[in-house]
Amino acid sequence: MFKFFSTVLFVSFMAVGSVATPIAAQSQIVFSPEITYPKANTIWTPGSRHNVTWDTSKIPYEKQGANGLVLLGYNGTESENLDIRHPLAAAFPLGDGGVTVVVPRNIKPRDDYFVVLFGDSGNMSAKFKIRKL
Ligand SMILES: *[C@@H]1O[C@H](CO)[C@@H](O)[C@H](O)[C@H]1NC(C)=O
Ligand SMILES: *[C@@H]1O[C@H](CO)[C@@H](O)[C@H](O)[C@H]1NC(C)=O
Ligand SMILES: *[C@@H]1O[C@H](CO)[C@@H](O)[C@H](O)[C@H]1NC(C)=O
C-alpha cells in the first residue's frame, strides 16, 4: 500500500503541479491522518456538499499548516482508480481537520468509493456509497 501511495503521490505532483509541491517539500516525518468522515455507512449523492474530516491529533505541530489534497477513488478490477485530475479539495491546511468537498454531478454511482487524504503520505477512508438522488 505504501508503494502504491508513493506512486500516486508522485503522479499527483505532476498532475496537480503547484498544489502538490508543498506536501513533498518537508522533513522525514511521515503522517497520514485517519479519515473520520466519510464512514462505511456514508451515502453521498451527486452534486451534494460534505465536510471530509480527519484526526489532527497525530499531525506534528510544524505540519499543521502543510497543504493537504483529497482525491476520490474506487477499487476497480485492476487498481484503485484515483481521480487525480479532479481533486475534491487541494491546498488546504491539514491542521484544519476538515475540508468541504462537492461530489461531481456527473459521477457514476458505485458502492465502493473512498477518499484519500494526502499529507506526507496517503490514508484511505472507509468505502462508502455514491447513489443517485
Ligand atoms: C490511517 O488510518 C487508519 C484508520 O483508518 C489508522 O489506523 C492509521 O493509524 C492511519 N495511519 C497513520 C500513519 O496515521
Ligand atoms: C481491490 O480489489 C481487489 C480485487 O479486485 C482486491 O484484491 C484488493 O484487495 C482490493 N483493494 C482494496 C483496498 O480493497
Ligand atoms: C469541517 O470539519 C472541521 C473539523 O471537524 C471543522 O473544524 C469545520 O468547521 C467543518 N467545516 C464545516 C463547513 O462544517
PDB file of all heavy atoms in Angstrom, residues 32 34 123-124, ligand 1:
ATOM      1  N   SER A  32      -0.109  10.273   8.152  1.00  0.00           N
ATOM      2  CA  SER A  32      -1.265  10.200   7.259  1.00  0.00           C
ATOM      3  C   SER A  32      -2.501  10.078   8.133  1.00  0.00           C
ATOM      4  O   SER A  32      -2.831   9.005   8.604  1.00  0.00           O
ATOM      5  CB  SER A  32      -1.146   9.022   6.302  1.00  0.00           C
ATOM      6  OG  SER A  32      -0.554   7.917   6.952  1.00  0.00           O
ATOM      7  N   GLU A  34      -5.933   9.735  10.068  1.00  0.00           N
ATOM      8  CA  GLU A  34      -7.081   8.845   9.912  1.00  0.00           C
ATOM      9  C   GLU A  34      -8.296   9.673   9.502  1.00  0.00           C
ATOM     10  O   GLU A  34      -8.615  10.675  10.139  1.00  0.00           O
ATOM     11  CB  GLU A  34      -7.345   8.152  11.244  1.00  0.00           C
ATOM     12  CG  GLU A  34      -8.565   7.283  11.220  1.00  0.00           C
ATOM     13  CD  GLU A  34      -8.768   6.530  12.533  1.00  0.00           C
ATOM     14  OE1 GLU A  34      -7.855   6.549  13.384  1.00  0.00           O
ATOM     15  OE2 GLU A  34      -9.853   5.944  12.684  1.00  0.00           O
ATOM     16  N   ASN A 123      -3.721   8.364   3.280  1.00  0.00           N
ATOM     17  CA  ASN A 123      -4.525   7.420   4.046  1.00  0.00           C
ATOM     18  C   ASN A 123      -5.919   7.402   3.437  1.00  0.00           C
ATOM     19  O   ASN A 123      -6.422   8.414   2.969  1.00  0.00           O
ATOM     20  CB  ASN A 123      -4.573   7.788   5.521  1.00  0.00           C
ATOM     21  CG  ASN A 123      -4.745   6.557   6.389  1.00  0.00           C
ATOM     22  OD1 ASN A 123      -5.137   5.493   5.925  1.00  0.00           O
ATOM     23  ND2 ASN A 123      -4.447   6.708   7.670  1.00  0.00           N
ATOM     24  N   MET A 124      -6.521   6.230   3.487  1.00  0.00           N
ATOM     25  CA  MET A 124      -7.764   5.996   2.773  1.00  0.00           C
ATOM     26  C   MET A 124      -8.936   5.967   3.742  1.00  0.00           C
ATOM     27  O   MET A 124      -8.801   5.471   4.857  1.00  0.00           O
ATOM     28  CB  MET A 124      -7.603   4.612   2.129  1.00  0.00           C
ATOM     29  CG  MET A 124      -8.509   4.324   0.989  1.00  0.00           C
ATOM     30  SD  MET A 124      -8.248   2.616   0.471  1.00  0.00           S
ATOM     31  CE  MET A 124      -7.149   2.842  -0.889  1.00  0.00           C
TER      32      MET A 124
HETATM   33  C1  LIG B   1      -4.507   5.612   8.698  1.00  0.00           C
HETATM   34  O1  LIG B   1      -5.868   5.426   9.079  1.00  0.00           O
HETATM   35  C2  LIG B   1      -6.066   4.282   9.883  1.00  0.00           C
HETATM   36  C3  LIG B   1      -7.548   4.131  10.146  1.00  0.00           C
HETATM   37  O2  LIG B   1      -8.289   4.392   9.002  1.00  0.00           O
HETATM   38  C4  LIG B   1      -5.299   4.407  11.183  1.00  0.00           C
HETATM   39  O3  LIG B   1      -5.451   3.242  11.947  1.00  0.00           O
HETATM   40  C5  LIG B   1      -3.826   4.624  10.878  1.00  0.00           C
HETATM   41  O4  LIG B   1      -3.135   4.872  12.072  1.00  0.00           O
HETATM   42  C6  LIG B   1      -3.632   5.779   9.924  1.00  0.00           C
HETATM   43  N1  LIG B   1      -2.223   5.851   9.546  1.00  0.00           N
HETATM   44  C7  LIG B   1      -1.403   6.779  10.034  1.00  0.00           C
HETATM   45  C8  LIG B   1       0.004   6.673   9.578  1.00  0.00           C
HETATM   46  O5  LIG B   1      -1.777   7.658  10.791  1.00  0.00           O
END
